Amino acid sequence: MKRLARLRQENAQQLSLIAVVILIFLAFSALSDRFLTYDNLLNVSLQASATIIAAIGMTMVIATRGIDLSIGSVANCSVAIAVTLAALGSGSSLTLEASWLAYPTALVLGLLLGAFNALVIIVFRVHPLIVTLGTLALYRGIGLHVTDAASIAVSGDVLTLARGALLGVGYPVWLALAIAFAGWFTLSHTVFGRRLLALGGSPRSAVESGLKRARILAAAYILSSLCGAIAGLVIVGRVGIIDTTLGFNFEFTVITAVVLGGTSLFGGRASIVGSVIGAILLSAIDNGLNLIGANPFIYEVVRGLVLMSAISLDAYASRKATDQLSADLS
């Protein structure tokens, strides 16, 4: 009965989110005749790809009642170091030509940074909010030190991932879809996914039933940072620059997309499909505001309002689900 109630709630939230997306698209199409063009919709999907990739990892973390505020800094730090190492001996201090070695290097660094987050959370039993708030500053500081806080133009093979296309659709979109499918399959059809949700739903009961809490949390935070590193590669590949803004406030965009998509900050409920839709919605709003010539500073205002609304709705939905379950059992 509890599972049925959760499924009803998830389906209702996803349908509501889809309705909001449709309304946003209709509104911007009325304000700009370029919004619903094929080229612009491709652009929206490209803009959303990095957020989708990071949101898959963040969904895993939030499903455990955790949070990863360092994901934007992971994108900055891992890519800055990877590109610098892959470009040794080429370019100048403000121009780097990075080889394909930047890809595996960034992934390994993402794994290590995520493992460090997990180590502190598990071994020292510090709340994830505190740990990742600290590593947000730590990883960003390392990234800025590596680049001397300069704007560095990037060229070479490292741009291929973000600028290539298959069947007229950019590689980042295909990559985001592949990672989203893998995340959906993991949560919905694997033992690990069920254990992840069980740990978030009731940590004490999950541990008492024999679940390995440390292993599950470690996997979640490592996956989150890995997705952050991949997202960083996509962002740098698209803009061709590493600077101080890389990954800045990215964590809040990602968290907004995840919570907006129906994943509960209180754990135990997660939706990969919802996270994807949430990321697309945020990208569509940014794109639409840009097309209608809105003040650039209004973007952060809109994101803040959307995040506050998503958290408020999540809290309301959680209380309503609890009340409904109590009523069904009484």
Side-chain angles (χ1 to χ4, degrees):
M1 187 173 292
K2 184 176 181 180
R3 179 177 175 80
L4 182 60
R6 185 187 298 121
L7 287 174
R8 287 201 302 263
Q9 182 181 353
E10 289 177 358
N11 290 335
Q13 285 181 319
Q14 289 183 13
L15 288 174
S16 299
L17 182 58
I18 291 173
V20 171
V21 171
I22 292 174
L23 289 175
I24 292 294
F25 272 60
L26 290 175
F28 280 125
S29 65
L31 295 172
S32 172
D33 56 2
R34 291 185 295 162
F35 184 78
L36 282 183
T37 62
Y38 178 74
D39 288 341
N40 189 61
L41 292 179
L42 279 181
N43 189 39
V44 170
S45 64
L46 279 172
Q47 290 176 341
S49 58
T51 304
I52 290 173
I53 292 168
I56 303 308
M58 186 67 76
T59 301
M60 302 289 185
V61 167
I62 293 180
T64 68
R65 294 195 185 188
I67 198 77
D68 185 0
L69 295 179
S70 69
I71 196 165
S73 296
V74 168
N76 184 304
C77 181
S78 59
V79 173
I81 296 175
V83 169
T84 301
L85 291 176
L88 287 177
S90 66
S92 64
S93 59
L94 297 180
T95 305
L96 294 176
E97 183 177 350
S99 69
W100 62 269
L101 290 173
Y103 295 128
T105 305
L107 297 183
V108 170
L109 288 168
L111 290 172
L112 293 175
L113 297 178
F116 181 76
N117 282 343
L119 177 68
V120 179
I121 292 169
I122 295 167
V123 175
F124 297 98
R125 297 183 179 276
V126 183
H127 195 281
L129 178 67
I130 304 301
V131 173
T132 58
L133 182 61
T135 53
L136 179 155
L138 173 63
Y139 298 160
R140 177 164 293 278
I142 294 173
L144 294 177
H145 176 73
V146 170
T147 61
D148 289 327
S151 294
I152 300 175
V154 180
S155 60
D157 295 338
V158 73
L159 304 181
T160 303
L161 173 65
R163 300 191 178 184
L166 177 65
L167 301 177
V169 178
Y171 288 159
V173 177
W174 294 111
L175 179 61
L177 290 175
I179 293 176
F181 176 79
W184 169 80
F185 185 84
T186 298
L187 274 184
S188 304
H189 299 286
T190 67
V191 173
F192 171 73
R194 290 192 291 272
R195 290 176 176 174
L196 195 77
L197 293 172
L199 180 63
S202 180
R204 177 177 295 181
S205 298
V207 172
E208 290 176 351
S209 65
L211 293 186
K212 303 296 184 181
R213 174 180 176 273
R215 293 182 183 179
I216 296 172
L217 287 179
Y221 283 93
I222 289 173
L223 285 173
S224 178
S225 290
L226 179 61
C227 288
I230 297 172
L233 288 169
V234 170
I235 295 171
V236 168
R238 291 195 66 225
V239 301
I241 294 176
I242 297 177
D243 61 12
T244 57
T245 64
L246 173 60
F248 184 72
N249 279 344
F250 186 52
E251 57 277 356
F252 296 113
T253 300
V254 175
I255 292 170
T256 302
V258 173
V259 178
L260 197 60
T263 297
S264 175
L265 285 170
F266 303 99
R269 188 179 76 248
S271 172
I272 295 294
V273 174
S275 296
V276 172
I277 298 173
I280 293 173
L281 174 60
L282 294 178
S283 294
I285 291 174
D286 281 354
N287 179 272
L289 290 173
N290 180 55
L291 288 179
I292 64 175
N295 189 318
F297 297 108
I298 202 68
Y299 293 21
E300 296 300 328
V301 174
V302 172
R303 288 197 192 101
L305 290 174
V306 172
L307 177 58
M308 290 175 61
S309 300
I311 292 175
S312 300
L313 288 173
D314 175 50
Y316 172 76
S318 296
R319 288 198 302 270
K320 187 175 180 180
T322 301
D323 294 342
Q324 182 64 45
L325 179 61
S326 300
D328 291 341
L329 294 176
S330 62

